[in-house]
Amino acid sequence: MNLHSWIPDDRIPKIAVLTGAGISAESGIRTFRGNDGLWEGHRIEDVATPEAWARDPETVWRFYQGRRSQLHEVEPNPAHYALAKLEKSLPKGHFTLITQNVDDLHGRSGSEVLIHMHGELRLLRCQQCGTVDEKMELVHLEPSEYVTCDSCGDEIMRPHIVWFGEMPIGMAEIEEAVIECDLFLVIGSSGHVYPAAGLVNIASVTGSHCVGVNLDRPVNDFAFHEFHLGKAGEILPELVDSWIEVLNL
Ligand code: OAD
C-alpha cells in the first residue's frame, strides 16, 4: 500500500487528530486502564460521575485537586511537540486537534486549534451561573475547602470535567473536522470510551485515511488503515517529519 495515497493532488490536505491518555504517559501522567491505570485505583462511580459529586463532593474534590496539582510537575513530551509542529506547518483551517485528555500539555507545547472534549483540569465551573475560571493557584487547598465563584458567589465550583453520563464538549465542531479531514490520526487511546472511540468510524466512512499510534492494539483497531505500534514520543516526531517532507510544507 502507498502510505501517502491519501494526499490530494490539487490542494493541501486537512488533518484531524484525536489524542488519549497514552500521549501523556511519557510525561508521567497515568493512563486510565490496564495495570496501574487510574481506574484501577478508583471506582469511576465514586469520582467521575455527577452522582458522585452530589453524594460525596469531598472525595471527588480530593481526586481532582490531586490531578490538578500534578500539572505543576509534568512537561510536554516529543509527541505533544510534534503535533504542534505539524499544526504550524499547515495553513490555518487545515488542522484540528481533539483531545480526550484533561491535562494542559497540548496547550503548553504550542498547539492552538485544540478542543478539550472531556474538559480541562486547569478550569473550574460554577454550577449556578456557568462561569468557567482558572484557579490553578488553589490546587493545594484542603479537600473540604472549595472554591467560591467570583461572579455569583456560589460556594462550591466543580471541576470543569466531562463526567460519565455527561455530554462531551464541542461535538458539532469535532464532527465537522472529522468529516472534512483527509487524514485522521488517533494517538494513545484504548478505544473504550464513546463518542471519542467512534470518531474513527466517521472518518473512515467519509473517506479519510485513518492512522493509529498506540503502545498496544486498541479495541477498535479494525477501523484503521495504517497502524504504528509503539511509544507516541518515539513514533510521532518521525511520522510528522515524513508528512511535512512529502507535503512540501
Ligand atoms: P486509556 O487509559 O483507556 O488508554 C490509553 C492507551 O494509551 C492504552 O491503549 C495504552 O496502551 C496506550 N499507551 C500507553 N502509553 C503509551 C505511549 N507511551 N504511547 C502510545 N500509547 C500509549 O485512555 P483513553 O483511551 O484516553 O474519560 O481513555 C478515554 C477516556 O476514558 C478518558 O478521557 C477518561 C477515561 O475514563 C473521562 O474521564 C471522561
Side-chain angles (χ1 to χ4, degrees), residues 43-219:
R43 283 169 14 119
I44 288 173
E45 51 275 46
D46 290 340
V47 293
T49 63
E51 292 77 17
W53 177 246
R55 189 177 60 238
D56 182 5
E58 196 169 316
T59 298
V60 177
W61 186 248
R62 187 182 296 118
F63 176 72
Y64 284 101
Q65 284 291 77
R67 295 183 64 198
R68 279 155 58 74
S69 63
Q70 196 196 9
L71 295 185
H72 288 310
E73 294 153 17
V74 294
E75 297 294 334
N77 67 56
H80 297 104
Y81 286 112
L83 292 179
K85 179 176 174 182
L86 182 58
E87 177 177 6
K88 285 189 178 52
S89 310
L90 287 160
K92 288 233 172 311
H94 286 250
F95 183 90
T96 306
L97 177 52
I98 304 151
T99 187
Q100 299 169 86
N101 298 345
V102 294
D103 65 52
D104 58 357
L105 298 179
H106 283 307
R108 277 164 55 193
S109 62
S111 287
E112 287 175 7
V113 180
L114 172 60
I115 305 170
H116 274 276
M117 70 182 294
H118 289 167
E120 294 178 63
L121 282 171
R122 296 193 72 87
L123 305 177
L124 298 178
R125 184 166 84 239
C126 177
Q127 306 169 97
Q128 295 306 322
C129 71
T131 297
V132 173
D133 255 342
E134 179 167 327
K135 298 279 183 187
M136 283 300 284
E137 72 283 11
L138 300 178
V139 293
H140 298 300
L141 284 183
E142 287 302 307
S144 55
E145 292 180 284
Y146 302 107
V147 176
T148 299
C149 173
D150 293 336
S151 300
C152 74
D154 190 61
E155 286 179 357
I156 169 165
M157 293 185 90
R158 60 166 274 179
H160 185 51
I161 299 290
V162 175
W163 285 322
F164 284 84
E166 297 183 321
M167 276 292 285
I169 295 164
M171 279 314 289
E173 215 180 330
I174 290 171
E175 282 174 7
E176 188 182 325
V178 170
I179 288 168
E180 282 185 356
C181 71
D182 300 286
L183 176 73
F184 185 56
L185 172 64
V186 180
I187 306 149
S189 186
S190 63
H192 280 101
V193 174
Y194 284 78
L199 294 176
V200 64
N201 303 99
I202 298 177
S204 187
V205 297
T206 54
S208 316
H209 182 66
C210 298
V211 178
V213 175
N214 213 61
L215 201 54
D216 49 27
R217 294 231 159 237
V219 290

Side-chain angles (χ1 to χ4, degrees), residues 223-237:
F224 292 89
H225 304 108
E226 181 184 329
F227 213 91
H228 300 263
L229 277 177
K231 290 187 173 180
E234 291 169 7
I235 291 172
L236 219 52

